[in-house]
Amino acid sequence: MADLLGPSEIRSLAESLGAAPTKKWGQNFVVDSGTVRRIVRIAGVQPGDHVVEVGPGLGSLTLALLEAGARVTAVEIDPKLAAALADTVARKAPEAVDRLTVIHRDALDVTELPEQPQALVANLPYNVSVPVILHFLEIFPALERVLVMVQAEVADRIAAPPGSRTYGVPSAKAAWYTATRRAGDVGRAVFWPVPRVDSALVLMERRDQPETTASRQEVFAVIDAAFAQRRKGLRGALSGLAGSGALAEAALERVGIAPLTRGEQLGIEDFARIAESLAQAGAAPGTLGA
């Protein structure tokens, strides 16, 4: 097995770089080798896989991914950490240096990589986790699976099924791309600094998108509108997209959905059917698919 980073070494490395964890970028570094190996195992990383890692930090998870034989593209927004990562890998796993590419950039600005990744594996900052996941699923169609460690509350929202209390925009949009489930809890003690919230793993596996003539943008516009005011029935929630409440009701009835149904009761196929009905009826210009 590779020589992974331990708690004292992580603190020493951060001190040598003058890189204390910052709230600005939501940094909590993993200091437990068992946790990063568990993440790699659940993600199903195989030798030769191209894995993109967002927010590698000091390199704990990066080293575990390289240990599994993956080729890793690490996207890091912190300039100090991005500059130091290759040196850390050269010191801890010199045989793996040629399998690491480091990109210093905001993950939401990444639109191309050296090659299409098979997997996204990351300890994601809580404040950007959902946008980053959806961005990479949209931009990289070869991305087969996503395994992320996020705040437990965020994990619940991403993996929630229709009808549950936590079901909403993140879970509905994730379902456009993937089948999603929680893949385990993570204790607070594996992080430095220790966060005030619990964490969890989420596994997302690419599936066929719903069969529909509506575009992804149109479907996502319906999802956004449906959850903008959760207490409203869809007739009222979609009135802006449709042009009026009456037109929204007509679009819903064409696909067999009661006008007072709430968004939390619908699956991704239902949202796709609604978007298709609205588009066919000529939804208000400048709204659907914006």
Side-chain angles (χ1 to χ4, degrees), residues 44-50 65-71 99 118 145:
V45 175
Q46 299 296 317
D49 281 356
H50 178 213
L65 290 165
L66 292 169
E67 177 186 62
R71 289 171 288 113
R99 289 189 277 114
Q118 282 86 43
R145 59 198 182 278

Coordinates of all heavy atoms in Angstrom, one line a residue, residues 44-50 65-71 99 118 145:
G44 N -15.6 2.5 -6.6 CA -15.3 1.5 -7.7 C -14.1 1.9 -8.6 O -14.1 1.5 -9.8
V45 N -13.2 2.6 -8.1 CA -12.0 3.0 -8.9 C -11.2 1.8 -9.3 O -10.8 1.1 -8.4 CB -11.2 4.1 -8.2 CG1 -10.0 4.5 -9.0 CG2 -12.1 5.4 -7.9
Q46 N -10.9 1.7 -10.6 CA -10.1 0.6 -11.1 C -8.8 1.1 -11.7 O -8.7 2.3 -12.1 CB -10.8 -0.2 -12.1 CG -12.1 -0.8 -11.6 CD -11.9 -1.8 -10.6 OE1 -11.0 -2.7 -10.7 NE2 -12.7 -1.8 -9.5
P47 N -7.7 0.3 -11.8 CA -6.5 0.7 -12.4 C -6.8 1.2 -13.9 O -7.5 0.6 -14.6 CB -5.6 -0.5 -12.4 CG -6.1 -1.3 -11.3 CD -7.6 -1.1 -11.2
G48 N -6.2 2.4 -14.2 CA -6.4 2.9 -15.5 C -7.6 3.9 -15.7 O -7.7 4.6 -16.7
D49 N -8.5 3.9 -14.7 CA -9.6 4.9 -14.7 C -9.0 6.3 -14.7 O -8.1 6.6 -14.0 CB -10.5 4.7 -13.5 CG -11.5 3.5 -13.6 OD1 -11.5 2.9 -14.7 OD2 -12.2 3.3 -12.7
H50 N -9.7 7.2 -15.5 CA -9.4 8.6 -15.3 C -10.4 9.2 -14.4 O -11.6 9.2 -14.6 CB -9.5 9.3 -16.7 CG -9.2 10.8 -16.6 ND1 -9.8 11.7 -17.4 CD2 -8.4 11.5 -15.8 CE1 -9.4 12.9 -17.1 NE2 -8.5 12.8 -16.1
L65 N -6.4 7.6 -4.5 CA -6.8 7.4 -5.8 C -5.6 6.8 -6.7 O -5.8 5.9 -7.5 CB -7.4 8.6 -6.5 CG -8.7 9.1 -5.9 CD1 -9.0 10.6 -6.3 CD2 -9.8 8.2 -6.4
L66 N -4.5 7.4 -6.5 CA -3.3 7.0 -7.2 C -2.9 5.6 -6.8 O -2.4 4.8 -7.6 CB -2.1 8.0 -7.0 CG -2.4 9.4 -7.7 CD1 -1.3 10.4 -7.2 CD2 -2.3 9.3 -9.2
E67 N -3.0 5.3 -5.5 CA -2.7 4.0 -5.0 C -3.6 2.9 -5.7 O -3.1 1.8 -5.9 CB -3.0 4.0 -3.5 CG -2.8 2.6 -2.8 CD -3.2 2.6 -1.4 OE1 -4.4 2.8 -1.1 OE2 -2.3 2.4 -0.5
A68 N -4.8 3.3 -6.0 CA -5.7 2.3 -6.7 C -5.4 2.2 -8.2 O -6.0 1.4 -8.9 CB -7.1 2.8 -6.5
G69 N -4.4 2.9 -8.7 CA -4.0 2.8 -10.1 C -4.7 3.8 -11.0 O -4.6 3.6 -12.3
A70 N -5.4 4.7 -10.5 CA -6.1 5.7 -11.3 C -5.2 6.8 -11.9 O -4.1 7.0 -11.3 CB -7.2 6.4 -10.5
R71 N -5.6 7.3 -13.0 CA -5.0 8.6 -13.5 C -5.9 9.7 -13.0 O -7.1 9.7 -13.2 CB -5.0 8.6 -15.0 CG -3.9 7.6 -15.6 CD -4.0 7.4 -17.1 NE -5.2 6.6 -17.5 CZ -6.2 7.1 -18.1 NH1 -6.2 8.4 -18.5 NH2 -7.2 6.4 -18.4
R99 N 0.9 10.0 -13.4 CA -0.5 9.8 -13.5 C -1.3 10.9 -12.9 O -2.5 10.8 -12.7 CB -0.9 8.4 -12.9 CG -0.4 7.2 -13.6 CD -1.0 5.9 -13.1 NE -0.2 5.4 -12.0 CZ -0.7 5.3 -10.7 NH1 -1.9 5.7 -10.4 NH2 0.1 4.8 -9.8
Q118 N -13.9 9.0 -16.2 CA -14.9 7.9 -15.9 C -15.6 8.2 -14.5 O -16.7 7.8 -14.3 CB -14.3 6.6 -15.8 CG -14.0 5.9 -17.2 CD -12.7 6.4 -17.7 OE1 -11.7 6.4 -17.0 NE2 -12.6 6.7 -19.0
R145 N -19.8 7.7 -12.9 CA -20.2 7.6 -11.5 C -19.5 8.8 -10.8 O -18.5 9.3 -11.2 CB -19.8 6.3 -10.9 CG -18.3 6.0 -11.0 CD -18.0 4.5 -10.7 NE -16.6 4.2 -10.8 CZ -15.9 4.0 -11.9 NH1 -16.5 4.1 -13.1 NH2 -14.6 3.7 -11.8

